[in-house]
Amino acid sequence: MNISKQSVEKIVESVGGKENIVAATHCVTRLRFALKDEGKVDKEALESIDLVKGSFSANGQFQVVIGQGLVDKVYNEMVELTGIDRATKQEIKDAAEAKLNPLQRAIKTLADIFIPILPAIVTAGLLMGINNILTGQDIFYEGKSFVEVHREWADLASIINLIANTAFVFLPGLIGWSAVTKFGGSPLLGIVLGLMLVHPDLLNAWGWGAAKEEGNIPVWNLFGLDVQKVGYQGQVLPVLVASYVLAKTELFWRKRIPDAFQLLLVAPLSLLFTGFLAFIAIGPITFAIGNGITSVFVSVFHNVPAIGGLLYGAIYAPLVVTGMHHTFLPVDLQLITNTGGTFLWPILVLSNIAQGSAALAMMFLAKDEKLKGLSFTSAVSAYLGITEPAMFGVNLRYRYPFISAMIGAAIGGMFITLNKVIAFSIGVGGLPGFLSIVQQKWAPFFIGMAIAIVLPFALTFVLGKIRKDYN
């Protein structure tokens, strides 16, 4: 596709002109702007431009969806036309972050920590799903698993399980690397900190409950102070807080120790201080907080499952719009560690599917070829777990598809929650999501998926025929 100078000029004009652009960069598919005033953006004019597939604001950045292979050409043409300086993604993030309030900054911090490690967690979830298909009973043979009938596959399944479990067993190592990097410390020290919290010499976190009941939790005696010798496998809060302390401690020493001695002193002093603090105070306190958070969610979904599933299904898509959905990933991981599965993540899957179904309905309603194409491609994307193109490019533009998807996700979420559907891991948040659902709950989950496909599609189609406001 040719990039016309006029189209790029229209994009610049639609975002408020050159004077409204603080900085601009691009990723694989989108232009990313830090704008002085997003109120000056003319979204209707912007999205009428042939090059533009959609637009949205997130985390203080205004993002314009162009498409892979074209966005770099559009960006280069825009730089030539306007003379703005080229900026890195980090510079755009820094410029955008300055406009956020404390709550938005906290949410963005969580997102910046967990998004880099999501590929490892999602991959682990998919591989665990494959292992469960091979080892689960009554899937291929009545009363037996596939590997019980075909013994030659047993070791292959065992290796797949080992590979899949690695990301969860050493989760604090992944979080430590990402969190310490975000807080300004050395990534390598973050990895060491995370692995230290799951060292084999420590009592495994999954055995802590049984050891407590038996009264034989191992301890260190530090000059009369008993410190529990416990690991934090699968835990989120201990390593998050410890990573912050480690990064700030490292920065403290780097400012005060001469360059000639930094290699010798900074890392040992930082790790020793953070390590002692982690086992003496940070770990026990945040472990208790994490258990408390888990108990609250379990209590709500146990006592009023219909309301819990209905509400979470309804609000998840709006949470994505605000970016607040990232705050629930640590809760999912905590639930998986403490209870063996999460009842929140399956609802996320239905919400993503519902947004895709609403967008797909718009494809059948639309007369405009551009909207038809965008609706179809964004629906496919949502069915595979990426909902932003569907939500920001189609559903929110017309509002009723977005609301229809919320209703479908809410009803589906209520149904699967009443049927106690849980996921043993986090996986792909779309149609392949069933791989992460415990096998015994596949039937009600598939019914929930059907609700999330049919209801939003039907509601969007009927409301669209009534309103007739599509192109």
Side-chain angles (χ1 to χ4, degrees):
M1 182 177 180
N2 293 325
I3 307 300
S4 71
K5 181 178 178 181
Q6 291 76 15
S7 295
V8 178
E9 285 176 339
K10 286 180 183 178
I11 292 173
V12 174
E13 184 182 337
S14 298
V15 297
K18 174 187 172 182
E19 61 279 2
N20 195 40
I21 301 174
V22 176
T25 187
H26 70 89
C27 59
V28 177
T29 60
R30 289 162 282 164
L31 294 173
R32 293 170 176 258
F33 294 97
L35 301 176
K36 292 177 183 176
D37 182 4
E38 289 190 8
K40 293 183 178 180
V41 175
D42 187 342
K43 287 199 70 171
E44 188 174 338
L46 180 65
E47 294 181 359
S48 68
I49 302 168
D50 288 341
L51 290 173
V52 177
K53 306 291 192 299
S55 62
F56 60 95
S57 179
N59 297 320
Q61 297 179 37
F62 189 79
Q63 304 185 31
V64 180
V65 182
I66 302 295
Q68 190 172 357
L70 289 177
V71 67
D72 55 338
K73 297 176 184 177
V74 173
Y75 178 73
N76 291 335
E77 182 68 27
M78 184 177 69
V79 169
E80 268 192 46
L81 283 172
T82 62
I84 60 174
D85 293 331
R86 293 177 182 271
T88 65
K89 291 180 186 177
Q90 189 57 49
E91 287 169 339
I92 291 290
K93 286 182 179 181
D94 293 341
E97 194 167 343
K99 298 160 50 179
L100 302 178
N101 61 43
L103 177 60
Q104 289 173 321
R105 288 186 186 182
I107 293 169
K108 184 178 181 299
T109 297
L110 275 179
D112 288 344
I113 290 170
F114 282 97
I115 287 176
I117 68 173
L118 263 181
I121 297 173
V122 170
T123 299
L126 280 173
L127 291 175
M128 288 173 73
I130 293 170
N131 173 70
N132 286 355
I133 288 175
L134 293 173
T135 59
Q137 294 184 344
D138 298 316
I139 298 178
F140 299 100
Y141 304 99
E142 186 176 349
K144 291 185 176 181
S145 68
F146 183 86
V147 295
E148 285 176 323
V149 175
H150 304 278
R151 297 299 304 170
E152 66 274 15
W153 287 76
D155 287 341
L156 176 64
S158 177
I159 293 174
I160 291 173
N161 187 52
L162 183 146
I163 296 170
N165 275 330
T166 299
F168 288 101
V169 171
F170 298 104
L171 180 63
L174 299 177
I175 297 174
W177 160 75
S178 188
V180 171
T181 303
K182 171 62 181 175
F183 295 135
S186 300
L188 184 60
L189 294 186
I191 295 172
V192 174
L193 172 67
L195 296 180
M196 177 182 72
L197 295 176
V198 293
H199 195 284
D201 282 354
L202 303 171
L203 171 66
N204 192 298
W206 290 297
W208 180 82
K212 185 181 179 183
E213 283 185 15
E214 296 170 5
N216 61 354
I217 296 177
V219 298
W220 287 295
N221 187 281
L222 301 179
F223 307 104
L225 175 66
D226 285 341
V227 177
Q228 289 188 349
K229 197 176 177 181
V230 176
Y232 295 96
Q233 285 83 358
Q235 298 291 317
V236 174
L237 287 178
V239 69
L240 275 180
V241 177
S243 294
Y244 179 82
V245 172
L246 175 61
K248 298 309 174 185
T249 303
E250 182 188 353
L251 293 173
F252 173 86
W253 287 121
R254 286 200 180 280
K255 290 178 181 178
R256 288 160 178 80
I257 293 176
D259 291 347
F261 298 98
Q262 285 199 3
L263 183 62
L264 183 65
L265 296 176
V266 171
L269 288 173
S270 301
L271 279 173
L272 277 173
F273 174 76
T274 307
F276 276 102
L277 196 61
F279 289 114
I280 293 170
I282 294 174
I285 292 171
T286 54
F287 186 71
I289 293 172
N291 286 339
I293 292 171
T294 301
S295 297
V296 169
F297 276 91
V298 170
S299 177
V300 169
F301 277 77
H302 176 74
N303 293 320
V304 282
I307 295 176
L310 187 77
L311 287 179
Y312 194 64
I315 68 170
Y316 186 78
L319 288 175
V320 173
V321 174
T322 63
M324 290 184 67
H325 63 300
H326 294 298
T327 61
F328 285 89
L329 179 56
V331 178
D332 277 315
L333 295 172
Q334 195 77 38
L335 285 167
I336 290 168
T337 300
N338 290 10
T339 66
T342 172
F343 41 76
L344 295 177
W345 190 81
I347 301 173
L348 171 158
V349 176
L350 299 192
S351 179
N352 289 353
I353 291 171
Q355 291 293 330
S357 298
L360 188 63
M362 290 302 295
M363 184 195 77
F364 288 95
L365 289 168
K367 301 292 189 292
D368 178 70
E369 289 302 316
K370 179 184 176 183
L371 179 59
K372 272 184 175 292
L374 177 60
S375 298
F376 176 73
T377 55
S378 62
V380 172
S381 175
Y383 284 149
L384 294 176
I386 307 298
T387 56
E388 282 81 359
M391 287 199 297
F392 295 110
V394 180
N395 298 346
L396 280 170
R397 187 191 304 184
Y398 295 95
R399 291 187 296 280
Y400 60 87
F402 187 78
I403 295 170
S404 298
M406 288 173 58
I407 293 170
I411 302 300
M414 179 177 67
F415 178 82
I416 65 172
T417 304
L418 285 169
N419 284 276
K420 303 187 187 314
V421 172
I422 61 170
F424 54 78
S425 68
I426 291 165
V428 177
L431 293 177
F434 76 92
L435 291 171
S436 296
I437 304 300
V438 295
Q439 175 210 333
Q440 296 84 352
K441 295 297 180 180
W442 276 7
F445 183 70
F446 284 138
I447 295 173
M449 287 177 72
I451 293 171
I453 292 171
V454 174
L455 188 55
F457 184 95
L459 285 173
T460 301
F461 193 83
V462 170
L463 289 171
K465 285 294 186 182
I466 293 171
R467 294 173 63 94
K468 296 182 179 178
D469 60 350
Y470 44 87
N471 293 325

